[in-house]
Amino acid sequence: MATILPENQINQELNSSVHQFFRNQKLGTLLNQSNIRKEAGISPVMLVQFIFSLVLQKKNLYRTLESAREPEAPAKDAVYRLLNNATYNWRKFLLLLSQNVITQNLLPLVSENRERVLILDDSLYSRARSKSVEMLALVHDHTTGKFVRGFRMLTLGWSDGNTFVPLAFSLLSSEKQSNRFQEINPTIDKRTVGYKRRKEAVKKSTEALFDLLDDINPLQLCARTLLFDSWFAFPKAIKRVVSEYPLEVVCMLKRMHRVYYTYEGQKYTLTQLYQVVRKKRGRAKILASVVVSLGLDDNEKEIQARIVFVRDRNRSKNWLAILSTDINLPEEEIVRLYGKRWDIECFFKVAKSHLALGKEFQCRSYDAMVAHTTIVFTRYIMLALRTREEQDPRTIGQLFFLCCDELEDIRFAEAILLVFDCLKASLTEEPVLSEEMVESLLDRVFDNLPTFLKRAFPQPEKQLPSALAA
């Protein structure tokens, strides 16, 4: 059995972004509040920090757990018990962390005049080579237009235009049983939060989005607008968002022949509506703007919305339509607000390219995929927070590689400190040498070190021997 991580090693006061982030955001407390706790053995916060740092250390989970060169690694069973537990509420943990980061760290940096928005979108969670993964299904990939094995990762996030923070997500399977390769594990207790997530996975995305919205408080996050693309832009979904939540909707519209908008008492499809409205002359980017009613059934109340037709910059003779349920917003403001939706696309790119989303290790359990995705999102939150607080001009990808190098330096510094510690212990055993002589000898040894070795230590140069003495 592998050796348990020593607590003093985790709590070392090193110049590590990971250690600082876990300590400042009190991740141990948040894990405990999310029912992620253990009565005996290694604590969950140490296990999460171990998994969290793997990508930054350029390590593989399986090889690290099996390697005899990693005596500080936790036991393999402890890691997999953490990932596969159906009673752990990982969604609550991510939401608590995101809310704390937004309210305590980001909102004080944001002007009250700046618009804060919620963004909803989905992305492919590919498991193309898998066969026995729980809830695995054929899902549609929007980028290629093909059906592939995997899940649709429906994600809800917060943005102020500069920083994106993921709030909640759901790994959606297919609502059609014929498209699913595997069903729910029959041994899962139906009273657990893991079973509820599995039942949510077989819902339509337009229904699952309300499960995500139910878990957050938009007023606490100072957000009043929800952004999403045309895949969710159905009148029924738009009306439900506006009527049940303190949110306005800004979304892209899709040309559907069965969706009608009421204008001047007549019902038109989106294409027909563009043909009847009056266009602006010249090469204007905003071609037209019109207020319509979204009518669902004769017995339901209609809501008003503004549709802005803009020129497609990729195809100058084509057009795009953006809808806003706040009819008082200027046309330019509607277009600008919708532009904030691009933040979630950048988030998906970073999570897949740098943070090993869905690639770090291959698990068959649905709970393990949810747990690992939450840890990947936590990595992104750390990088996004560091970028914002330091006003760093570097991209999140550059900061990712910087953190990798930082952890490499820390491990090297720990080795040097261990050498100094052994040297001091050996010198202290000599009866001829006093404590002052040992300290003076260590000072001289450290002063003669090359400059690049001195920079590896987080302490000031002259404080190293006294720190070792302590």
Side-chain angles (χ1 to χ4, degrees):
M1 181 175 178
T3 307
I4 293 178
L5 279 170
E7 187 172 352
N8 58 351
Q9 179 181 349
I10 295 295
N11 297 329
Q12 285 182 359
E13 293 184 357
L14 296 173
N15 186 21
S16 168
S17 300
V18 176
H19 295 164
Q20 291 179 1
F21 177 74
F22 272 66
R23 182 176 62 252
N24 296 340
Q25 300 302 327
K26 301 180 180 179
L27 261 65
T29 302
L30 301 183
L31 289 169
N32 185 64
Q33 293 176 356
S34 306
N35 197 37
I36 306 175
R37 60 175 74 98
K38 292 187 67 175
E39 297 180 358
I42 187 170
S43 66
V45 65
M46 293 184 182
L47 291 173
V48 171
Q49 185 168 342
F50 167 75
I51 302 173
F52 185 96
S53 303
L54 284 176
V55 170
L56 301 177
Q57 296 174 353
K58 303 176 183 178
K59 291 182 178 181
N60 176 273
L61 176 65
Y62 176 78
R63 294 184 179 274
T64 302
L65 295 178
E66 297 292 335
S67 176
R69 299 180 180 179
E70 300 288 346
E72 74 279 2
K76 178 173 66 175
D77 292 342
V79 174
Y80 286 114
R81 279 197 299 267
L82 174 78
L83 297 175
N84 294 324
N85 197 312
T87 63
Y88 291 169
N89 196 341
W90 290 101
R91 177 178 293 182
K92 182 178 180 180
F93 165 73
L94 179 61
L95 184 59
L96 290 174
L97 173 62
S98 302
Q99 288 179 343
N100 289 346
V101 168
I102 293 172
T103 56
Q104 298 177 11
N105 300 96
L106 296 181
L107 286 180
L109 305 176
V110 181
S111 171
E112 295 182 358
N113 298 328
R114 179 178 289 272
E115 189 74 22
R116 279 84 71 176
V117 298
L118 299 178
I119 308 174
L120 181 80
D121 201 2
D122 64 343
S123 182
L124 175 66
Y125 187 98
S126 178
R127 294 298 298 267
R129 298 184 178 181
S130 302
K131 296 181 180 179
S132 303
V133 175
E134 186 180 5
M135 307 291 292
L136 183 69
L138 280 177
V139 295
H140 185 257
D141 185 5
H142 300 327
T143 56
T144 62
K146 299 180 180 180
F147 281 87
V148 296
R149 294 180 182 180
F151 302 86
R152 291 178 60 193
M153 188 176 66
L154 183 65
T155 306
L156 178 67
W158 177 95
S159 175
D160 63 349
N162 289 327
T163 304
F164 177 84
V165 178
L167 297 173
F169 70 92
S170 180
L171 294 179
L172 300 181
S173 182
S174 176
E175 64 273 13
K176 296 181 180 179
Q177 187 175 3
S178 58
N179 289 341
R180 296 198 294 267
F181 296 96
Q182 299 292 334
E183 297 298 327
I184 298 176
N185 186 350
T187 62
I188 298 297
D189 191 341
K190 295 183 179 180
R191 298 170 296 179
T192 61
V193 65
Y195 183 80
K196 295 178 182 178
R197 296 291 174 262
R198 288 167 169 82
K199 297 298 291 183
E200 179 183 276
V202 297
K203 293 182 178 179
K204 295 182 179 180
S205 58
T206 51
E207 297 177 0
L209 72 89
F210 296 103
D211 293 330
L212 302 182
L213 290 175
D214 288 338
D215 291 336
I216 70 168
N217 184 358
L219 298 179
Q220 182 182 5
L221 304 177
C222 300
R224 57 179 298 272
T225 306
L226 175 65
L227 310 180
F228 50 78
D229 61 8
S230 58
W231 295 102
F232 308 93
F234 296 93
K236 185 176 181 180
I238 295 172
K239 181 176 180 180
R240 183 176 174 184
V241 171
V242 175
S243 59
E244 296 184 7
Y245 305 93
L247 293 169
E248 301 289 348
V249 172
V250 175
C251 63
M252 183 73 71
L253 295 179
K254 184 164 47 176
R255 307 179 193 185
M256 296 178 284
H257 63 279
R258 294 184 179 180
V259 177
Y260 294 91
Y261 306 93
T262 304
Y263 174 63
E264 295 182 348
Q266 299 292 327
K267 291 186 177 181
Y268 302 95
T269 63
L270 189 62
T271 304
Q272 294 171 347
L273 182 63
Y274 177 75
Q275 294 174 351
V276 299
V277 298
R278 184 176 180 180
K279 318 312 187 290
K280 295 182 179 180
R281 296 181 178 180
R283 300 287 299 173
K285 295 182 179 180
I286 298 179
L287 301 175
S289 174
V290 61
V291 176
V292 299
S293 297
L294 301 180
L296 303 177
D297 297 326
D298 295 335
N299 298 329
E300 292 184 329
K301 181 180 178 181
E302 294 183 343
I303 61 173
Q304 287 189 322
R306 179 179 295 277
I307 298 179
V308 179
F309 295 94
V310 298
R311 192 182 303 276
D312 189 347
R313 63 181 181 181
N314 297 323
R315 293 173 290 181
S316 59
K317 295 184 179 181
N318 209 339
W319 51 270
L320 303 172
I322 303 176
L323 179 142
S324 171
T325 56
D326 187 355
I327 61 176
N328 296 320
L329 280 179
E331 302 167 357
E332 294 79 5
E333 181 68 11
I334 294 174
V335 177
R336 189 187 67 84
L337 273 180
Y338 185 76
K340 293 178 182 288
R341 200 196 65 83
W342 184 249
D343 292 346
I344 197 171
E345 301 291 352
C346 298
F347 162 72
F348 289 145
K349 177 64 176 178
V350 172
K352 294 179 180 181
S353 300
H354 298 298
L355 305 182
L357 177 65
K359 302 176 183 177
E360 192 166 5
F361 48 87
Q362 302 297 315
C363 297
R364 296 181 180 180
S365 168
Y366 186 82
D367 294 308
M369 291 185 294
V370 171
H372 177 251
T373 303
T374 303
I375 295 175
V376 170
F377 283 18
T378 306
R379 291 171 181 160
Y380 183 90
I381 292 175
M382 183 197 74
L383 296 173
L385 180 60
R386 180 173 176 180
T387 305
R388 184 60 178 273
E389 286 185 337
E390 299 182 359
Q391 296 182 350
D392 204 316
R394 292 168 291 188
T395 64
I396 288 182
Q398 291 172 321
L399 288 177
F400 165 77
F401 290 113
L402 180 64
C403 289
C404 294
D405 296 338
E406 181 183 77
L407 289 184
E408 292 289 339
D409 292 340
I410 288 171
R411 291 208 303 271
F412 175 76
E414 289 174 354
I416 296 295
L417 285 174
L418 183 60
V419 172
F420 272 98
D421 200 11
C422 294
L423 176 62
K424 181 180 177 181
S426 300
L427 295 176
T428 311
E429 294 177 357
E430 296 293 331
V432 182
L433 299 177
S434 64
E435 183 72 19
E436 291 76 11
M437 297 176 66
V438 172
E439 295 291 343
S440 176
L441 180 60
L442 289 178
D443 283 337
R444 283 181 292 175
V445 171
F446 185 76
D447 289 338
N448 291 329
L449 289 176
T451 304
F452 75 93
L453 289 180
K454 296 180 182 179
R455 293 175 180 174
F457 298 99
Q459 299 93 343
E461 296 181 5
K462 293 299 181 181
Q463 293 183 6
L464 176 67
S466 61
L468 289 173

